[in-house]
Amino acid sequence: MSDERDIFVDSKPFNDLAMNWESACLLCFADDDFYERPISQAHPIVRQNAVEWYEDETTIVRYLYSPATKVRRRMEIQGYTTEKCRALWEREFSRHIAHGEELRDAGYSDFNQEIEAQKGLSFEQWEARESQLGLEHMMRWGGVHLFNFADMFAALALSIDVYKPAAVWTDLTSSFGEFDSTLSLRANLLGQPRETEVDFIETTGNVLILTEGTSDTKVLSSAIRAMYPEFADMFEFVDFEEFKIEGGASLVTKMVKAFAGVRMSQRIIALFDNDVAGLEQKAILDRTIKLPPSIRTMVLPDLAIGQAYPTLGPEGLRSVNVNGAACSIELFLGKEALADEHGNLRPIRWSSWNKASSRYQGELENKNAATLHFLDAMKAGGDAPSLRAKFPEMDGLLNVIFRAFG
């Protein structure tokens, strides 16, 4: 039987994570990364280890398993970017060498040789050397471990970048009986006691996305589930319908101020429409309040289709640039959703004049029909890569959201 607190990188335990196993599982794995199989049918890396723990290959093992590239992407969304991890390396390397020098007289000549070989290396030189020597070398000499990073998740992220393992996984067999079968795996892990006195680069946990209303929330949550199911568990939304909350850009501003005022540690993205009202409200926040690092404000990005989009106003039907004036979530739903029964793009109707910006505010005609078309496409499903290719505007928006804390 394995140590249930171990997180494995390929076949090697990443010991730095044992003290924060529950949080590591929440960060690295989604619910669909759970497997329940006889040892003989387990993933090869898991099977290689499990045959040493159990006598019979027909024994059922339960484990979490994910390709290392997928784990790394989840970590990037949580803020563990290559740049931040490298900055931590730069900060820690001289301290690491100094500590190694203190241990020179411990009687291990090969350790002395290893420290000597690392002295004076730049990050690029260290990375090239470690990459060539591989994971076995890292596990023997510490590699990243030897740095004793305060943030063990940064150590894992950097290890994946440098050593390029195939998979990250953990055995659940011995602890699975303690889980509540009526709850999701994530809910079970959240109910476990976790170490909190740890210094992390980033505050890990779900990201709360604040939108201007119910429609925006439905679109984004459905898109993430269908196009990036491996990241769906990492994002939460305000339930406008359950709590009967009115939408609008000004409401997003009020919620941001409230969350900032109570010093919420959860990471929050305030997402405004790329229109007159959205830009005005974001400018109010930028001008009047210093937000904590856990809160990001952003407007929907400009779109190519928005540069010459049909509009209806005092001058009749004209194609104009609606980015910054009337670019709402509906313009990210694809041309099929935006087309009317004749195949023409549904126009944006200018509705009101904004004195402050000297621009009209507009809204897509029959936007509910466009939204329903998109939601039906997400519900119909299909493989995620095909959906991302079919809806490039939405894919681009989701990736902007994923990089919000990068």
Side-chain angles (χ1 to χ4, degrees):
M1 184 180 298
S2 74
D3 182 343
E4 64 193 69
R5 307 286 301 186
D6 277 338
I7 301 287
F8 288 82
V9 178
D10 282 349
S11 61
K12 305 296 183 182
F14 199 91
N15 295 323
D16 285 0
L17 297 176
M19 66 178 291
N20 217 280
W21 180 81
E22 292 84 4
S23 293
C25 288
L26 289 166
L27 178 62
C28 296
F29 306 111
D31 279 354
D32 61 3
D33 292 325
F34 173 75
Y35 295 90
E36 185 174 19
R37 297 177 175 180
I39 292 174
S40 59
Q41 298 177 24
H43 290 82
I45 292 173
V46 178
R47 186 168 65 248
Q48 175 185 337
N49 285 265
V51 293
E52 299 178 6
W53 305 331
Y54 304 95
E55 296 180 357
D56 189 348
E57 286 200 26
T58 63
T59 299
I60 302 296
V61 289
R62 300 169 178 87
Y63 59 95
L64 294 168
Y65 176 99
S66 180
T69 52
K70 177 180 166 184
V71 171
R72 189 65 185 91
R73 186 75 193 280
R74 284 176 65 91
M75 300 186 80
E76 286 179 351
I77 292 173
Q78 292 277 12
Y80 287 92
T81 62
T82 299
E83 294 75 20
K84 287 183 180 178
C85 292
R86 172 171 176 166
L88 183 59
W89 184 95
E90 298 282 4
R91 193 178 77 199
E92 296 285 343
F93 187 64
S94 59
R95 188 185 311 172
H96 150 69
I97 293 297
H99 180 62
E101 293 282 13
E102 292 175 2
L103 300 176
R104 271 186 174 275
D105 297 328
Y108 301 102
S109 59
D110 45 359
F111 176 82
N112 296 342
Q113 293 170 7
E114 177 63 24
I115 291 297
E116 193 64 32
Q118 292 189 27
K119 286 175 63 175
L121 294 182
S122 66
F123 177 82
E124 289 78 12
Q125 291 168 331
W126 174 85
E127 182 180 35
R129 180 175 184 270
E130 290 293 324
S131 178
Q132 181 180 21
L133 292 171
L135 196 60
E136 289 283 349
H137 177 266
M138 186 271 280
M139 291 302 177
R140 180 184 181 193
W141 288 115
V144 172
H145 287 243
L146 199 61
F147 283 62
N148 193 27
F149 280 178
D151 188 335
M152 71 286 291
F153 296 152
L156 175 62
L158 192 54
S159 294
I160 293 174
D161 289 343
V162 173
Y163 303 109
K164 297 179 173 51
V168 178
W169 62 280
T170 187
D171 182 28
L172 293 177
T173 306
S174 59
S175 58
F176 190 74
E178 302 171 9
F179 287 0
D180 185 340
S181 61
T182 65
L183 300 177
S184 68
L185 180 68
R186 185 171 188 83
N188 274 290
L189 289 169
L190 284 169
Q192 299 292 313
R194 285 179 284 163
E195 174 64 55
T196 57
E197 301 299 323
V198 181
D199 181 21
F200 296 116
I201 284 182
E202 298 289 339
T203 299
T204 58
N206 288 8
V207 177
L208 175 64
I209 300 179
L210 306 178
T211 70
E212 292 192 15
T214 301
S215 178
D216 295 25
T217 290
K218 286 182 177 179
V219 165
L220 286 175
S221 59
S222 298
I224 294 174
R225 284 197 302 271
M227 298 170 71
Y228 290 95
E230 65 270 33
F231 304 146
D233 62 302
M234 303 173 74
F235 295 93
E236 299 174 349
F237 296 85
V238 171
D239 193 328
F240 286 84
E241 293 180 334
E242 180 179 355
F243 296 103
K244 297 180 173 56
I245 302 172
E246 296 293 331
S250 61
L251 174 70
V252 176
T253 298
K254 291 176 182 177
M255 288 192 290
V256 168
K257 289 182 175 180
F259 289 139
V262 297
R263 307 267 190 244
M264 279 189 65
S265 60
Q266 181 177 14
R267 290 177 306 148
I268 297 169
I269 298 172
L271 184 62
F272 294 96
D273 285 353
N274 187 1
D275 60 11
V276 173
L279 289 168
E280 181 180 56
Q281 291 300 314
K282 184 179 184 302
I284 289 173
L285 286 174
D286 293 343
R287 186 173 63 247
T288 62
I289 184 172
K290 181 175 175 58
L291 295 176
S294 59
I295 299 179
R296 296 282 193 274
T297 61
M298 56 190 294
V299 297
L300 296 173
D302 287 353
L303 284 174
I305 193 174
Q307 293 175 359
Y309 196 86
T311 65
L312 278 173
E315 299 178 353
L317 183 64
R318 295 179 59 202
S319 289
V320 300
N321 187 350
V322 298
N323 291 313
C327 185
S328 61
I329 194 75
E330 288 77 25
L331 265 64
F332 293 80
L333 306 184
K335 289 185 177 180
E336 284 188 21
L338 291 171
D340 61 20
E341 62 273 18
H342 303 296
N344 300 316
L345 291 175
R346 305 176 195 274
I348 288 172
R349 183 176 291 276
W350 299 120
S351 56
S352 59
W353 176 258
N354 185 284
K355 288 185 178 181
S357 63
S358 298
R359 300 190 73 175
Y360 278 103
Q361 171 83 17
E363 184 177 273
L364 185 74
E365 282 204 336
N366 199 5
K367 66 178 185 179
N368 288 339
T371 299
L372 288 174
H373 186 283
F374 179 81
L375 292 177
D376 286 344
M378 295 298 103
K379 186 176 181 180
D383 66 285
S386 296
L387 288 175
R388 296 196 288 267
K390 184 176 181 180
F391 299 97
E393 293 86 3
M394 181 57 66
D395 183 43
L397 171 57
L398 294 182
N399 277 277
V400 169
I401 291 172
F402 295 159
R403 294 192 298 270
F405 288 92

